[in-house]
Amino acid sequence: MVISVHPLVQDVTARLLDCPTTDPQSSAHGLAVPFATVVTDLGSAHPMWFHQKCDTCFVPTEVLRKVASAQGLADSQIKTVGLPVRAGFWDAPLPNKEQLHDSEAQVELRTKLGIDPTARTVLVVGGGDGVGGIEGIAKALALKLNRDGMNSGAMRQMVVVCGKNEGARRNLEALAGELEGGGAGLTMTCTGFVTNMDEWMSAADVLVTKAGPGTIAEAAIKGLPVMLSTFLPGQEAGNVDFVKESGFGDYSPDPEVIAARVSEWFGDPSALNSMRSAALASGRPAATLDVARNLGKTALESSATWMERRR
């Protein structure tokens, strides 16, 4: 079996595997070896993802099912399963996560992570390398939420995952120290690369991130409203549309606008709850295992057929 997770290798792979359909070992679409594609975009996808010779094309959303169909794939070739994600996101979200904040499980998790267990919390991430203007966004958020906290008397909290960007981490830690020295309305936690992103997302009320499909899919599973800050032209543009049209987030490249929007959401419990529910409705925690089960079934069936024909 060959499994593709990149759009540029569909045609090459199909050509290499191609054989006459009269070959007794060939699959339903003319390939002797089963060929599956796992599409890893959410709201849009390049046509090269979709090759009519594939046996199965796994897509994450109904939008991409329609794209695959428009590219000539039969309904029997397309499976809508969601986007495969890391093991920490295979379980259901925390109890009552769709209800505004402070569930017992969330309080316990925040305590475990060493952050304020009750403060409304925004999580800012920039991928493993801490890119996407993370420092400027975090600074704008810090200043805005600090003012909000001081004016309302309700402490705000921000966690910034800087990844490998040690410069941003040092600068933001210095800012956190300055804010604390002035009687802050905000607590700030800055970390480097983390391996428990599922826990940090469960502990948060809002996520600020670039429009990577994996992070968006993980946030949806956790019922986490998303504020998108940047996207790669072409391949990630549709991810912005997916978040906005699904009703669990917004987009702006402007740090000041991002800060204002997060502040607005924190001040509107009804809107925040609505976005949480929309995120959960878009989440597919079973996607990874569904894809694995389907691939395993295909591989076993292909092997059994091959063995039978060799007798």
Side-chain angles (χ1 to χ4, degrees), residues 49-152:
W49 270 113
F50 309 104
H51 199 289
Q52 295 181 25
K53 287 277 188 166
C54 76
D55 292 286
T56 306
C57 180
F58 297 95
V59 296
T61 61
E62 286 300 321
V63 172
L64 293 196
R65 169 181 277 277
K66 293 177 182 178
V67 174
S69 181
Q71 292 299 316
L73 272 67
D75 288 346
S76 60
Q77 290 172 274
I78 309 167
K79 292 187 181 297
T80 308
V81 294
L83 190 73
V85 292
R86 293 170 282 187
F89 295 89
W90 295 355
D91 297 326
L94 289 172
N96 300 320
K97 177 68 179 183
E98 68 277 10
Q99 300 302 317
L100 181 59
H101 163 117
D102 286 352
S103 70
E104 182 178 344
Q106 190 181 56
V107 168
E108 290 177 357
L109 179 56
R110 288 177 175 175
T111 301
K112 171 189 171 183
L113 293 171
I115 61 176
D116 189 318
T118 59
R120 207 156 288 176
T121 303
V122 58
L123 174 65
V124 183
V125 301
D129 293 321
V131 295
I134 190 171
E135 185 176 343
I137 292 167
K139 285 181 176 178
L141 272 165
L143 295 175
K144 174 60 175 170
L145 296 180
N146 183 57
R147 289 194 299 270
D148 289 350
M150 294 180 71
N151 291 337
S152 68

Side-chain angles (χ1 to χ4, degrees), residues 2-4 8-18 31 35:
V2 175
I3 305 164
S4 170
L8 296 183
V9 298
Q10 313 305 317
D11 187 65
V12 173
T13 303
R15 287 173 182 269
L16 289 172
L17 297 178
D18 205 2
L31 303 181
F35 175 32

Side-chain angles (χ1 to χ4, degrees), residues 172-183:
L172 292 172
E173 286 177 339
L175 175 61
E178 293 173 9
L179 293 176
E180 290 175 3

Side-chain angles (χ1 to χ4, degrees), residues 42 123 125 132 137 206-213 215-217 219 224-231 236-245 248-255 257-259 261-262 265:
L42 288 171
L123 174 65
V125 301
I137 292 167
V206 169
L207 174 69
V208 177
T209 181
K210 65 186 186 69
T215 303
I216 292 171
L224 194 56
V226 176
M227 186 67 207
L228 299 174
S229 59
T230 187
F231 63 90
E236 290 183 347
N239 299 337
V240 175
D241 295 334
F242 173 75
V243 167
K244 294 175 69 174
E245 292 170 8
F248 66 98
D250 203 351
Y251 163 77
S252 176
D254 187 335
V257 174
I258 292 170
R261 187 73 77 248
V262 172
W265 291 348

